[in-house]
Amino acid sequence: MNTAPISPIRLLIPQDVAALAVGAERVVKAITSHAAADGTAITITRTGSRGLFWLETLVEVETPAGRIAYGPVNPQDVPGLFNAGFLLGGAHPLRLGRMEDHPWLKGQTRLTFARCGIVDPLSLEDYEATGGYKGLRHALSIGPAAIVAAVTKSGLRGRGGAGFPTGVKWKTVADTKAPQKYIVCNADEGDSGTFADRMIMEGDPFCLIEGMSIAGIAVGATKGYIYSRSEYPHANRTMRAAIAEAYRTGRLGTDILGSGVTFDLELRVGAGAYVCGEETALLESLEGKRGQVRAKPPLPAHKGLFGQPTVINNLISLATVPVILAEGAAYYADFGMGRSRGTMPIQIAGNVRHGGLYETAFGVTLGEIVEGIGDGTATGRPVKAVQCGGPLGAYFPPMLFDTPYDYEAFAQRDGLIGHGGVVVFDDSVDMAAQARFAMEFCAIESCGKCTPCRIGSTRGAEVVEKIMAGREVDANLALLEDLCATMKFGSLCALGGFTPYPVLSAVRHYPEDFRRRHAAAAE
Amino acid sequence: MPNPSLRPTWDPFRAEAIIADHAQMPGALLPILHALQEEFGHVPEPAVPLLADALNLSRAEVHGVITFYHDFRHDPAGRHVVKLCRAEACQSMKGEHTASHLLRRLGIDWGGTTPDGSVTVEPVYCLGLCATAPAALVDGEPHGRLTPESLAGIVEEARRA
Ligand SMILES: Cc1cc2nc3c(=O)[nH]c(=O)nc-3n(C[C@H](O)[C@H](O)[C@H](O)COP(=O)(O)O)c2cc1C
Ligand code: SF4
Ligand code: FES
């Protein structure tokens, strides 16, 4: 009998909430108890997700030949996996081999998501071993002006929706004198079909902390807030733990990395209001008020949180900064097309076979995303519509699948890249119902400041309802167009101003869904 | 999340302590409201004057903030809370169909609580589980790829627990 102590075999299993949602905890339990019964020593490291959600629960085993993955693993697969010797990388129908070689990951360019799903999210050792804090160290050595210049040169544009150049925003705040400035991370990821912010908070939270610290140095801000959502309790837990760990190890506080620079960071949580993702509503909410949109000017860069100059950026914008500083602006700007530089974490969701997070350079076509990368619908039926950019984004029919994923190309087709969400619908979807929902959602979430948004959306939902009932379809379609025009031009922010895009795109591309009942009613 | 059945009823001293704990934070109102709801399961009406006092606001202002945000409940919820996603990605996977099954089964509407006080069903708009849709949080735990049957099973299990 061999009594020599053997080091335990290490497994890596995601703790990402999407993995938990399909039973990761039960898989962990099954593996743990099976190993205990066998007397096999194992340790399980919980990671974020690599973002291939159809393969969750993904179980990776560390072997001399690298990390061998199995997935999707269900609890009932566990005995079979043990029998197949999966702890040594044994053959099994669920064996996927090394994830680095998996085509879905091989096709990606992971810059912002380089670590997500690979490291222990709360291990600073893992973080630094994979290039973490290289960007901040470089930032400290080059100083504020050079940091802003690098971010500008990288071509990074805001990933929250509007695509505004991040470096330009930072420069405005850097140039504004004030006793206190703030960095605010917009993690109020409310768009349906998006989960990139959430995955970073759960899978690589130090990357956000590093990015925000760099932003603080660049503009002279000593305090940061992350505004997250109450719908993300798991992400918030991990993010809070990471902040505590960063404080404990001198990576936040009065002397970050021994540089003498102060940067404090706090997580705040919203309360279920979509409009609080709008930057000025978010600032109001952070101040403890109703989340009502502020008129601009003044810009947050001049008068933001508590009246002070504030950088407010989407989480992905901020989490992309470390790699830009670590690898250089040119490295990042080399990816992409036209004025869309770098990479975008595209989030493929809804009725799709291969849903998940796909980070790639701008320029891939919508058709490649949906039919190629996403592999068509989950139900196996034809794709009918794809909503891009969240609830304020247009519905694209397959006819427009040649549209390249690029801010300008999407805008030319009345579309929106937004925060990178792509939601697929099969041919069973009723586009009139989707148009009605867009109006209803606007009515539910309106902050109430503008009449066209508040009242127009309620009217809009009623009008679509009438069209769906086949009542005076022509007159009501004309009325709907009018309402949309009023909302577009009479709204202070994009909630009221962009809701017409999903509505009108549905009318334009799927007229039959608005006329079907008309024909039926006339019979 | 504390076990809802063990939640204390209104306790002004506890509320005062929670408020005092946070009152010095800049923009303290939302964190306090979250903490009160965590403690009591909703934001009890008698907390309003306490908040107004502590934060130097009018009662109307406090009330205005509470009613603005969908999260804050005015009445206690059931012992189990199902937050069901109604946003587009979940719609694309028949989320509305799954939701209406559950509501019919429980005999309640959105936001309602079963007569025995065991389950409340609330709408949410996206849980970031859009690639494993339709999705819900049941007592804070995530569930994806729901069907009418699986959701009924999850809710029944929670109810029995
Ligand atoms: C109704 C509405 C909701 C928004 N929601 C978000 C959001 O959830 N996350 C986000 O980053 N930006 C959101 N935005 C955009 C923000 O107003 C703002 O442009 C962004 O935070 C700026 O950061 P960026 O330049 O890094 O993109 C929203 C805008 C509107 C009008
Ligand atoms: S458009 Fe709607 S959400 Fe935006 S400011 Fe006006 S009322 Fe508020
Ligand atoms: S749309 Fe339902 S979880 Fe995102």
Side-chain angles (χ1 to χ4, degrees):
Chain A
M1 198 167 136
N2 185 357
T3 52
I6 355 171
S7 58
I9 296 170
R10 185 173 182 229
L11 286 81
L12 300 105
I13 303 178
Q15 198 162 20
D16 181 282
V17 72
L20 301 182
V22 296
E25 228 44 63
R26 278 179 287 126
V27 172
V28 168
K29 220 181 249 170
I31 291 177
T32 311
S33 52
H34 203 287
D38 278 7
T40 312
I42 60 166
T43 63
I44 298 179
T45 300
R46 304 305 292 270
T47 61
S49 173
R50 290 190 185 252
L52 298 77
F53 290 129
W54 76 98
L55 293 178
E56 297 292 1
T57 303
L58 186 78
V59 176
E60 293 182 68
V61 186
E62 251 176 25
T63 75
R67 284 188 191 175
I68 303 301
Y70 297 82
V73 177
N74 287 303
Q76 63 269 24
D77 300 320
V78 168
L81 284 166
F82 272 91
N83 285 339
F86 87 120
L87 290 178
L88 300 170
H92 186 276
L94 295 178
R95 188 181 190 276
L96 299 161
R98 296 174 356 132
M99 287 311 283
E100 299 88 293
D101 303 329
H102 193 283
W104 219 76
L105 279 168
K106 252 189 138 159
Q108 301 191 40
T109 303
R110 287 218 162 180
L111 305 182
T112 311
F113 282 79
R115 277 180 217 95
C116 192
I118 297 174
V119 297
D120 174 348
L122 292 175
S123 159
L124 273 165
E125 200 183 326
D126 276 15
Y127 186 65
E128 300 214 345
T130 48
Y133 279 111
K134 192 173 153 195
L136 180 63
R137 289 202 167 86
H138 183 63
L140 285 166
S141 74
I142 63 175
I147 302 172
V148 173
V151 172
T152 306
K153 211 173 125 216
S154 76
L156 177 66
R157 292 167 70 175
R159 302 295 188 232
F164 189 81
T166 304
V168 174
K169 188 182 279 188
W170 288 20
K171 179 139 192 352
T172 311
V173 177
D175 290 345
T176 308
K177 298 260 170 303
Q180 176 72 61
K181 301 181 191 178
Y182 295 102
I183 308 296
V184 174
C185 167
N186 189 341
D188 195 38
E189 191 168 58
D191 289 0
S192 167
T194 67
F195 37 78
D197 298 354
R198 177 183 73 62
M199 283 178 67
I200 291 289
M201 288 194 278
E202 294 185 24
D204 195 12
F206 292 125
C207 182
L208 174 60
I209 296 174
E210 183 182 353
M212 291 184 73
S213 309
I214 295 171
I217 298 164
V219 305
T222 53
K223 171 93 200 194
Y225 288 96
I226 300 168
Y227 186 93
S228 179
R229 337 171 46 219
S230 59
E231 293 86 345
Y232 284 0
H234 298 74
N236 297 341
R237 227 171 285 151
T238 306
M239 197 67 232
R240 281 208 178 92
I243 291 172
E245 179 66 3
Y247 268 109
R248 197 183 65 79
T249 57
R251 285 167 175 81
L252 283 172
T254 50
D255 184 21
I256 58 174
L257 290 179
S259 64
V261 174
T262 295
F263 192 70
D264 284 303
L265 183 58
E266 197 181 320
L267 178 87
R268 292 283 178 96
V269 181
Y274 177 75
V275 72
C276 286
E278 195 284 334
E279 55 187 15
T280 61
L282 187 155
L283 297 175
E284 289 285 302
S285 183
L286 265 181
E287 293 180 7
K289 303 177 191 150
R290 297 159 65 91
Q292 277 194 318
V293 174
R294 297 176 184 168
K296 282 186 251 181
L299 292 172
H302 292 129
K303 275 184 85 137
L305 186 62
F306 303 115
Q308 302 300 319
T310 301
V311 165
I312 175 161
N313 271 130
N314 172 251
L315 185 149
I316 298 301
S317 316
L318 291 163
T320 301
V321 167
V323 68
I324 292 171
L325 269 294
E327 304 302 326
Y331 172 80
Y332 189 75
D334 249 6
F335 298 97
M337 72 176 274
R339 294 203 291 122
S340 303
R341 308 311 315 172
T343 58
M344 185 73 191
I346 302 172
Q347 298 132 79
I348 310 172
N351 192 339
V352 67
R353 267 164 59 95
H354 292 171
L357 184 129
Y358 198 92
E359 182 177 352
T360 186
F362 287 96
V364 52
T365 67
L366 184 56
E368 282 164 33
I369 295 169
V370 174
E371 304 283 8
I373 299 163
D375 202 21
T377 63
T379 45
R381 303 175 65 102
V383 176
K384 175 162 168 180
V386 180
Q387 188 177 30
C388 299
L392 310 176
Y395 285 98
F396 281 72
M399 204 178 64
L400 297 180
F401 274 7
D402 61 336
T403 315
Y405 209 74
D406 160 273
Y407 289 105
E408 279 68 40
F410 263 59
Q412 258 171 33
R413 295 190 155 169
D414 279 342
L416 201 62
I417 282 186
H419 183 51
V422 172
V423 177
V424 182
F425 292 79
D426 74 11
D427 62 351
S428 66
V429 66
D430 175 353
M431 296 308 293
Q434 297 310 117
R436 182 184 56 190
F437 175 76
M439 286 292 193
E440 285 169 350
F441 185 73
C442 181
I444 295 167
E445 301 296 338
S446 169
C447 85
K449 213 164 184 171
C450 330
T451 315
C453 168
R454 195 181 66 238
I455 309 288
S457 55
T458 307
R459 280 301 313 279
E462 289 163 9
V463 170
V464 179
E465 185 74 39
K466 283 183 192 154
I467 294 169
M468 291 174 76
R471 282 165 53 195
E472 296 173 70
V473 171
D474 289 312
N476 278 315
L477 276 172
L479 181 56
L480 187 61
E481 299 261 357
D482 275 358
L483 272 171
C484 283
T486 311
M487 289 172 73
K488 257 192 203 174
F489 300 109
S491 295
L492 186 57
C493 86
L495 183 48
F498 282 23
T499 291
Y501 287 100
V503 174
L504 294 177
S505 62
V507 173
R508 180 167 322 122
H509 299 304
Y510 310 91
E512 64 284 2
D513 283 14
F514 293 79
R515 301 247 169 217
R516 201 166 40 217
R517 293 93 171 173
H518 188 210
E523 270 169 21
Chain B
M1 196 183 276
N3 182 338
S5 55
L6 300 178
R7 277 205 182 111
T9 47
W10 171 244
D11 172 350
F13 300 107
R14 186 72 202 110
E16 296 246 23
I18 290 172
I19 295 170
D21 266 358
H22 299 79
Q24 297 315 312
M25 301 168 94
L29 187 48
L30 256 72
I32 298 178
L33 291 173
H34 275 304
L36 288 172
Q37 179 149 309
E38 174 86 9
E39 179 77 14
F40 300 110
H42 67 298
V43 180
E45 197 58 36
V48 173
L50 301 182
L51 284 161
D53 250 15
L55 301 177
N56 235 335
L57 299 166
S58 72
R59 292 181 187 196
E61 282 171 308
V62 174
H63 192 74
V65 172
I66 297 172
T67 50
F68 182 86
Y69 295 96
H70 302 302
D71 273 6
F72 300 126
R73 296 189 197 100
H74 313 289
D75 304 302
R79 286 188 298 282
H80 303 285
V81 176
V82 181
K83 289 179 183 272
L84 253 181
C85 179
R86 298 192 72 184
E88 291 92 334
C90 287
Q91 292 167 14
S92 78
M93 291 301 282
K94 304 263 174 283
E96 287 297 291
H97 171 73
T98 302
S100 59
H101 255 261
L102 179 70
L103 293 171
R104 220 174 315 131
R105 218 185 132 86
L106 297 175
I108 56 175
D109 204 347
W110 287 106
T113 300
T114 52
D116 66 351
S118 65
V119 185
T120 299
V121 179
E122 296 178 337
V124 286
Y125 295 91
C126 195
L127 296 164
L129 297 169
C130 333
T132 51
L137 287 182
V138 179
D139 294 332
E141 288 311 312
H143 297 274
R145 296 187 193 134
L146 293 169
T147 61
E149 297 72 36
S150 73
L151 181 59
I154 291 159
V155 172
E156 279 318 310
E157 196 180 315
R159 243 175 151 175
R160 273 198 305 271

